[in-house]
């Protein structure tokens, strides 16, 4: 950890970025779902994204597989925005893993053999998400790197972000941290936990026999099956993140040198952001666990599956979106409360969409009513097409 020092920095003004009902930090799938949900809940919404395209790891990070919204046994378990975004991702075409039984009225038997997942084109999905949010009235500010928060009496008044025009304060009634690294939660003083022993991944696209294909160079790692011989990288540390990136670049460059560059074979895209899967999350009021399989959770705000194992289905506790210190902040995406084994599952696209929709709706209710009633949240999610409990899923 770096030591703290004192420096004399030239005094710079903080610009007034305006007042919003809901401010969402992070434009990955969780942030997209949160912003969309909050806007549809009647809120004036601002989405702050530090990069210059939407989608996060799912687009800029080239992890272009929309993992299953079914349980692998023929039952769809995630609905509403989670399904909407899956369909949006391939609305202009798909790359691979087309779930024909699910999208083309297949039989129950066919669905049981094919998971409801798809591989999409990163550029198309990013642009489609931007178009969708803008058409719904969400304001997007790119190049906005969150660096602080103004907190008063356990509530965030404003998030501070650096942009090309300097530092600005964006005021809000409620906030959603969908940054993937719990950046706003950490800045606001919320209790967080890091998962440092990440292994490297450097996925890329390349021309393979005339087809643009995805090459998965390195993978994320199931905490229950750790390989102690692999090099590990710290997270939320500038030097470690940079080493993660340069090591991955070196592996890709090795491939380029071996393969060469021609019309028949060449690398066409590399990740523009670190392909970390688990970094920093909130310490929530109630963590998700793998033991929650088929368990009824009273304050559930959605249902989701296990992407790497057929069968399990989980309910998402509203408390997993809530930290212990900040009253008007909700978590979405891979930063929600989950123990390490469950975190490996909750970090993926479908759960990002499910948690994002719930967090956005909760933030809109809080901004509108001045309080957040979990039962009201459940009613409004149900009206939006969200299934809250496993008992309500057809066939389960």
């Amino acid at each position: 950890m770096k030591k703290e020092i004192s420096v004399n920095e030239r005094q710079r003004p903080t610009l007034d970025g305006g007042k919003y009902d809901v401010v969402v930090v992070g434009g990955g799938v969780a942030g997209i779902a949160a912003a969309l949900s909050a806007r549809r809940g009647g809120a004036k919404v601002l989405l702050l994204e530090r990069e210059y395209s939407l989608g996060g790891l799912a687009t800029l990070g080239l992890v272009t597989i929309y993992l299953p919204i079914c349980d692998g046994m023929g039952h769809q378990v995630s609905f509403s925005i989670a399904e909407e975004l899956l369909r949006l991702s391939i609305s202009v075409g798909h790359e691979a893993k087309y779930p024909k039984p699910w999208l083309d009225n297949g039989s129950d038997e066919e669905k049981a053999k094919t998971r409801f997942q798809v591989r999409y084109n990163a550029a198309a999905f990013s642009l489609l998400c931007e178009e969708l949010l803008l058409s719904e009235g969400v304001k997007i500010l790119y190049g906005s790197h969150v660096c602080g928060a103004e907190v008063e009496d356990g509530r965030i008044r404003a998030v501070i972000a650096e942009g090309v025009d300097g530092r600005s304060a964006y005021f809000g009634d409620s906030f959603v941290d969908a940054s993937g690294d719990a950046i706003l939660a950490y800045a606001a003083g919320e209790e967080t936990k890091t998962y440092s022993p990440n292994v490297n991944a450097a996925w890329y696209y390349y021309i393979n026999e005339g087809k643009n294909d995805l090459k998965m160079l390195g993978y994320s790692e199931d905490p229950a099956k750790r390989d102690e011989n692999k090099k590990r990288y710290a997270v939320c540390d500038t030097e470690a993140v940079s080493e993660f990136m340069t090591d991955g670049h070196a592996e890709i460059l090795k491939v380029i040198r071996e393969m060469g560059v021609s019309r028949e074979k060449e690398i066409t895209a590399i990740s523009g952001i670190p392909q970390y899967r688990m970094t920093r999350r909130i310490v929530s009021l109630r963590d998700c666990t793998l033991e929650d399989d088929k368990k009824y959770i009273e304050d559930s705000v959605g249902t989701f599956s296990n992407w790497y194992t057929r069968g399990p289905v989980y309910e998402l506790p509203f408390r997993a979106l809530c930290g212990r210190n900040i009253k008007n902040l909700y978590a979405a995406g891979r930063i929600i409360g989950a123990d390490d084994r469950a975190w490996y599952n909750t970090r993926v696209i479908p759960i990002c969409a499910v948690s994002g929709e719930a967090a956005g709706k909760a933030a809109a209710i809080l901004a509108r009513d001045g309080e957040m009633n979990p039962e009201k949240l459940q009613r409004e999610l149900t009206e939006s097409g969200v299934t809250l409990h496993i008992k309500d899923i057809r066939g389960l």
Side-chain angles (χ1 to χ4, degrees):
M1 177 177 286
K2 296 177 181 177
K3 65 179 181 179
E4 294 184 4
I5 62 172
S6 296
V7 296
N8 293 320
E9 181 183 4
R10 179 180 67 84
Q11 186 66 36
R12 294 182 297 159
T14 297
L15 306 174
D16 184 352
K19 169 70 167 57
Y20 298 85
D21 298 325
V22 176
V23 178
V24 179
V25 173
V29 170
I32 292 165
L36 196 58
S37 178
R39 182 71 190 114
R40 289 174 177 173
K44 179 183 178 183
V45 181
L46 172 66
L47 175 63
L48 297 173
E49 168 54 45
R50 69 182 177 187
E51 308 296 341
Y52 291 86
S53 292
L54 296 180
L57 199 60
T59 57
L60 294 169
L62 303 185
V63 183
T64 54
I65 303 172
Y66 204 117
L67 289 168
I69 60 172
C70 71
D71 66 350
M73 310 296 285
H75 310 106
Q76 182 177 343
V77 299
S78 296
F79 302 87
S80 194
I81 290 178
E83 180 181 356
E84 178 183 356
L85 292 181
L86 184 151
R87 291 178 179 272
L88 179 69
S89 75
I90 56 170
S91 60
V92 294
H94 68 281
E95 288 189 345
K97 295 184 179 292
Y98 184 78
K100 185 176 175 61
W102 294 97
L103 298 178
D104 298 337
N105 298 314
S107 66
D108 290 344
E109 292 75 16
E110 290 172 322
K111 290 177 180 178
K113 296 176 182 178
T114 304
R115 299 211 70 173
F116 197 169
Q117 64 181 334
V118 73
R119 204 179 89 201
Y120 53 85
N121 179 271
F125 189 33
S126 177
L127 297 174
L128 288 164
C129 288
E130 180 182 89
E131 179 184 60
L132 175 62
L133 291 185
L134 292 177
S135 71
E136 297 262 354
V138 174
K139 183 173 182 178
I140 304 169
L141 288 182
Y142 288 123
S144 298
H145 190 95
V146 170
C147 58
E150 182 181 340
V151 179
E152 186 177 283
D153 296 328
R155 302 176 72 89
I156 300 173
R157 288 191 64 243
V159 58
I160 314 300
E162 294 272 5
V164 294
D165 51 355
R167 181 177 296 167
S168 297
Y170 300 97
F171 295 86
D173 292 317
S174 57
F175 297 80
V176 176
D177 188 339
S179 64
D181 301 315
I183 290 173
L184 178 55
Y186 183 77
E190 187 55 82
E191 188 176 352
T192 60
K193 179 180 179 180
T194 59
Y195 183 84
S196 288
N198 276 264
V199 294
N200 206 291
W203 294 16
Y204 60 86
Y205 271 85
Y206 72 120
I207 299 295
N208 179 30
E209 298 179 352
K211 178 184 176 183
N212 197 31
D213 206 355
L214 176 65
K215 178 67 174 180
M216 302 177 192
L217 183 62
Y219 293 86
S220 59
E221 184 182 52
D222 184 344
K225 303 174 183 177
R226 284 186 55 168
D227 182 350
E228 299 300 338
N229 295 316
K230 288 185 178 180
K231 181 177 179 179
R232 301 184 179 279
Y233 299 82
V235 296
C236 304
D237 176 283
T238 303
E239 291 188 9
V241 172
S242 298
E243 185 180 14
F244 181 97
M245 292 296 287
T246 55
D247 284 353
H249 291 164
E251 290 299 313
I252 297 174
L253 186 56
K254 186 187 301 181
V255 173
I256 291 175
R257 287 198 169 106
E258 293 173 353
M259 182 175 66
V261 176
S262 68
R263 290 184 178 181
E264 291 73 33
K265 284 191 175 183
E266 64 174 318
I267 288 180
T268 56
I270 64 173
S271 174
I273 61 175
Q275 293 178 344
Y276 279 128
R277 303 302 205 276
M278 298 149 62
T279 59
R280 183 168 55 199
R281 64 171 177 82
I282 65 166
V283 175
S284 73
L285 297 180
R286 203 281 196 187
D287 283 353
C288 300
T289 73
L290 296 185
E291 286 67 41
D292 290 334
D293 178 23
K294 306 298 192 305
K295 183 181 293 185
Y296 178 87
I297 296 176
E298 186 175 4
D299 65 339
S300 173
V301 289
T303 52
F304 60 94
S305 66
N306 188 310
W307 64 270
Y308 58 93
T309 301
R310 291 174 179 263
V313 183
Y314 309 93
E315 298 186 4
L316 176 62
F318 172 62
R319 289 163 291 167
L321 314 184
C322 304
R324 300 179 179 182
N325 300 320
I326 306 299
K327 303 171 186 175
N328 63 339
L329 174 65
Y330 301 107
R334 70 185 190 194
I335 76 160
I336 65 173
D339 66 24
D340 285 354
R341 290 180 61 229
W343 196 354
Y344 182 64
N345 186 51
T346 57
R347 63 180 176 76
V348 299
I349 289 176
I351 300 88
C352 287
V354 171
S355 61
E357 180 166 10
K361 188 74 72 177
I365 292 172
L366 179 60
R368 183 185 69 222
D369 299 345
E371 62 178 5
M372 220 308 297
N373 182 300
E375 293 181 355
K376 179 179 286 189
L377 171 61
Q378 289 178 314
R379 285 197 300 273
E380 294 198 14
L381 286 170
T382 300
E383 291 169 0
S384 297
V386 174
T387 296
L388 301 178
H389 299 291
I390 296 168
K391 65 182 179 62
D392 298 320
I393 296 174
R394 186 177 71 87
L396 288 180

